[in-house]
Amino acid sequence: MYEEKASKSKNTNFLPKQRKINLPKFTFNKNTKQLLIKIFTLLTIIILIIFIISRINLSAKTKKENVNQSLNIILESSLKYFNSNNIPQNEGDSIYILLTEMIKKKIIPNIKNKNDNNHFTNSYIILNKKKEELYTLKIYLTNSKNIFEKNLECANTCQIKEK
C-alpha cells in the first residue's frame, strides 16, 4: 500500500517530455587562445592609457589651481606692500621687486607646493605708473607661462586698491 501511494505521488504526466539537445562542443584551439590573449592585452592597454591620460589632466588642473592660488596670495600681499613710500612717483616709472625679496621681508608667506618647490625663484612684480593715480601691476611667475596683469588706482591716501 505504501508503494501505491508513492507511485501516485510521482505522477509526472502533466510535464512535457524532455528532449536531449545535442549542442556542439566548443573547444579552444590555438587560434582561439591567441585571439583571447590579444583581446585581453588590448583591453588592458586601453585601460592603462585612459588611466594615464586622466592622471595627466588631473596634474595639469592641480598645477593651474596652485598657480591661481599663488597669484591671489601675491596680489593681496602686493596690495598691502605698495604704499605712498614705495610706489612710482612719475608717469612711466616702474618699481621692480623679486618675490624672493618679498618672502625674505615676510611680505608674502613662503608658499610651497609638492610639484614645484622653488616656483618663486626668478619671479617678480612690476608696478608701473600709467597716469595720475592709475597703476598697472604685473606678476611674472617662472612656473607659469602667463603674465598676470592688474590695473590699480591710488586713492587720496595713496593706498593702492583694485580698480
Side-chain angles (χ1 to χ4, degrees):
M1 193 168 237
Y2 178 76
E3 291 175 10
E4 288 178 7
K5 288 183 181 178
S7 65
K8 287 183 183 177
S9 65
K10 288 187 177 181
N11 188 2
T12 57
N13 291 336
F14 63 92
L15 294 175
K17 280 190 169 182
Q18 294 181 354
R19 290 188 224 160
K20 283 191 174 180
I21 300 174
N22 292 329
L23 296 174
K25 290 186 178 181
F26 186 76
T27 58
F28 289 105
N29 57 25
K30 285 185 180 180
N31 291 336
T32 308
K33 286 180 184 178
Q34 289 176 350
L35 179 66
L36 288 175
I37 290 172
K38 287 178 183 179
I39 290 173
F40 178 75
T41 306
L42 183 65
L43 287 174
T44 305
I45 290 171
I46 290 171
I47 290 171
L48 283 173
I49 289 172
I50 291 171
F51 177 74
I52 290 170
I53 289 173
S54 68
R55 297 298 295 172
I56 290 170
N57 289 340
L58 182 62
S59 174
K61 185 178 179 182
T62 303
K63 184 175 180 179
K64 186 176 181 180
E65 288 173 357
N66 286 339
V67 169
N68 287 338
Q69 181 183 16
S70 296
L71 280 173
N72 287 334
I73 292 171
I74 293 167
L75 179 63
E76 289 174 18
S77 299
S78 61
L79 289 176
K80 291 175 186 174
Y81 172 73
F82 290 113
N83 57 35
S84 59
N85 298 333
N86 55 7
I87 61 172
Q89 299 301 322
N90 301 322
E91 241 177 78
D93 286 353
S94 298
I95 291 182
Y96 166 92
I97 186 166
L98 287 170
L99 293 180
T100 52
E101 288 179 38
M102 293 180 82
I103 291 171
K104 286 178 187 174
K105 292 178 182 180
K106 302 205 186 258
I107 298 166
I108 298 175
N110 192 3
I111 306 166
K112 290 186 180 180
N113 62 44
K114 57 187 170 188
N115 298 333
D116 190 5
N117 288 336
N118 295 318
H119 65 284
F120 285 157
T121 307
N122 299 325
S123 298
Y124 56 94
I125 296 174
I126 295 178
L127 182 67
N128 184 20
K129 185 170 185 176
K130 291 171 107 178
K131 297 178 185 175
E132 190 66 32
E133 298 184 3
L134 185 61
Y135 295 85
T136 302
L137 180 78
K138 292 182 183 179
I139 301 172
Y140 297 88
L141 293 180
T142 54
N143 68 339
S144 173
K145 295 177 183 173
N146 299 328
I147 299 169
F148 179 77
E149 189 171 328
K150 191 80 170 170
N151 288 322
L152 306 169
E153 62 182 24
C154 179
N156 294 334
T157 60
C158 229
Q159 184 68 27
I160 299 265
K161 296 180 183 174
E162 287 188 57
K163 190 173 180 184

